[in-house]
Structure formats: structure tokens, C-alpha cells
Amino acid sequence: MAETVPLWWEPADGLVVRDRRGGRYHAYTPDLLCTRPLALPQELSEKASRAERAIRNLSSGPGAQRLGGIARFLLRSEAIASSMIEGIAPSPGQVALAELAQDEDVRGFSDQARLVANNITVLRRASQDLVDADLVTVDDVVTLHSALLPDDRHHGLRDVQNWIGGSNWNPLDAEFVPPASDQVHPLMADLVSYLNGSAHGPLIQAGILHAQFETIHPFTDGNGRVGRSLIHTVLARRGLAPGTVLPISLVLSTLSDRYVDGLTAYRYIGDPLSDDATVGITTWLETFVDAASIAAEHAGRLATDLEELHAEWSTRLRAHRSALGLRGEPRAGSATSKILHYLPEAPVMTAKTVQRILGVSFPPARAALEELADAHILARKSVEKGTTGYLAREVLDLVGLAERRLASTRFDTRISPPSRPAPARPD
């Protein structure tokens, strides 16, 4: 049964007197997931089912393909956190330029943008490795941690006690003390066994696994980043959100008070079938499912916005071509037509980009970009001496607006402004 274990803290030598404290503290040890019974209220089960249907619709409804292309930009905030960036965060446009610089010689972006772009790449690759694995192991989670925190001094599962809140020097006044270090390995082995199974629905599984991971707190640093990544791992492995990144972690970050209260409630004491345990787990899962529903709603809104933008582009392009005496629709297999398809995924391009992704020569690549710029679909920008970049600013603006909404405690910036760093409002 879940319990708090009394332990004794021995003070370290060399500290000043006020920090040199020893004494009794209590570390929390949760029940194992694979053997813990779980009884959910019918109302919560129905709410989770509705949220799962909304998430699945993101992969099959209008705009699904374009949302999949733009999904990585929703990792921007996570990548900023992973980069430990302080101050003004780089805009989606800066990050897109920095991503392009991973394959081409371009300039015009900050060092912060480069850090974020690099971390987006790491996040995507590391997360996909877990999604593709036949069975996820504890070592796989450790590898994910190392990828997300490459400069951390303490890779691997912790062999020391950690804690949240209180003093930096001892856990005596901590807000929460995770399990003792000798419990970390068996608890993590149980956690990955639960991840590899399907005892519960995908959304319930993701919520329980995230709360259990944050409760174990198996690393000395970076637990939040790994825990958020594991949400996407579960949803993708279960086929619920295979082609997109659902911004649940952004919503949970905005609902920070509910998030902390929910995790605290999850950490019941005693019999897992007791009323207190049921209420605690339900409180957490209500928060998690609500966050998933909000994330799905706003991802769907972004998909709709992208679909409407693509229709507007088609109208502009027809008008431009008609004014030149050309047929309104470009040929289906033309570079112009294909670029329109790729813009959500690659909102910053050069002729070299088009050559690389479409396999065409320079002249048709440059001609197609110029045509789209003349039709006011792309904007020209010098990105290197002698190299012109072409930006789909409206795509980048939609990403920025979506992130601003997700940072508002009312998820509507007309009612409440962003409560945490978010892109500036587009001009």
C-alpha cells in the first residue's frame, strides 16, 4: 500500500550553521501501477472517451495533414524550457530560420533561436525512438533524459534523495519528498511495464503514467521535461495521436495550480480502493483529461485556421495567375502546387530548400517561389549574402496566436492575457 516512510537526514559537513540540520523526514512510496486496482467514476470514463474521440478526429478531420506538418512548432515552448532560456523567447519565425540553418547556410536568427531549434530536433528524435520501440525499457527512459539534458552532470537514475520545495540543503521542510533512492529502480521497472501494456484507455494511461513518473522523480534534474515527453509517447504508441503533438503540457503549464493540486491529490496513503485513494486519483485524472480536451479543441482550431488559410492562398494564386493571362490553377504536379502543400511544414524556404524536398532543379524552384511571393503568399527576406528566403508569415502568425491562447488562463487572450512567456501578438 502507498505509504510515507520515515527516514533520517544526516547533515553534510562544511555547511553554515543554519543549513547544517539533521532530523526525521518522510519519503512517499506509491503503489505499483501494474498491480494496483483502479475504479473510475462513470462520469470520468465518459469524459475521457469524449476527449479521445476529439483527439482522434485531429488525425482524420479537415486540415489533419497540415496540422501534422506544423505540429513540431507546438514543441517550441517545451524546447525553450529544455534550453533553460531566460528573458525574451525567440519567435516562431526565428526558430523556423534556425531550423533551416541545420541544413542550409542562412543567418538572421538569434543564438536563443538556434538553441530552441536544436532542442526541438532532439525532442522529436528522442520521443520518436520511444514510440517506435517494440518494448520501452528503463534504459530507454534514461536515454531520453540524457538527450533532453545533454549537459547535465547527473545522468542515470538517481542514487540520492531528492525533494521539492523547502531548503536546498535538506528535505526536512520540503513540500514533497519522492521515494528513497533504493526504491527508484523497482518503481521505474513497474512504470515501463505499465507503459508497455494497455490495461486502461490511452488517455487514462498517459495521465496515470505521468503522475506516477513525477511522483517517483527518478532523476536529480529534468523530471518535468521527461515526464511531459512521456505523455506524447503513450498517446502515439496507443495510436491516439500518431501524427501530431497534442499540446497537453502547454495547457497543464497554464493550469499550474490545478496541476500541482492534482498531483498532490494523486499521492494517497493506504488502500488503493479506499475512498481517499479514489477521490485523489479521480481529482488528478479530471485535471489531466480536462487539459487534453482543451488541447484537442485548440489543436482543432489551429487545423481549421490552416485549412482556411490554404483556401485563401488558392484564391490569391488564382487571381494572380488570371491577371497574367494564365490558367487559374497551377498544374497539380508543378513545383508551385507542391510548395503550397509543404508550407505548413516548412514555412521558411529558399530555392535550395525546394530543390531538396521536391527534387527539382534551381530554375523551377526559384520560379515557383517567386510566383508565390508575387501572389502575396510568401514574403521575401534576405537570409544570407546572395540568398533570398521566402517566409509564409501567416503560418508563423497562426502558430504564435495559438501559443498565446494556450498561455491564457481562460484560453482566450481577449479575456485574459498570457500568464507565461508567449510570442508577441503578430502585427
Side-chain angles (χ1 to χ4, degrees), residues 34-118:
C34 291
T35 56
R36 184 179 71 187
L38 180 66
L40 298 180
Q42 182 64 24
E43 183 179 353
L44 175 58
S45 295
E46 292 173 357
K47 180 185 287 188
S49 179
R50 288 194 298 270
E52 288 180 356
R53 287 198 301 274
I55 295 169
R56 285 194 179 93
N57 287 340
L58 294 175
S59 298
S60 58
Q65 188 173 28
R66 295 185 181 91
L67 182 62
I70 208 172
R72 75 184 188 285
F73 287 104
L74 297 176
L75 288 171
R76 175 183 165 278
S77 289
E78 189 66 34
I80 289 172
S82 298
S83 301
M84 308 283 286
I85 287 177
E86 298 178 357
I88 298 174
S91 68
Q94 284 263 307
V95 174
L97 276 171
E99 280 193 311
L100 184 60
Q102 294 174 347
D103 297 302
E104 301 178 27
D105 293 328
V106 301
R107 55 177 172 77
F109 54 88
S110 65
D111 290 338
Q112 289 180 328
R114 188 190 302 275
L115 282 171
V116 171
N118 289 344

Side-chain angles (χ1 to χ4, degrees), residues 18-37:
R18 67 174 180 274
D19 297 323
R20 198 184 308 134
R21 290 179 59 196
R24 189 178 301 277
Y25 68 97
H26 291 80
Y28 177 77
T29 302
D31 282 317
L32 298 176
L33 293 181
C34 291
T35 56
R36 184 179 71 187

Side-chain angles (χ1 to χ4, degrees), residues 299-321:
R301 179 175 175 179
L302 180 56
T304 298
D305 290 343
L306 288 168
E307 193 71 6
E308 291 175 353
L309 177 59
H310 191 270
E312 171 62 22
W313 284 344
S314 297
T315 299
R316 289 183 211 166
L317 184 58
R318 280 196 301 270
H320 170 70
R321 290 175 62 88

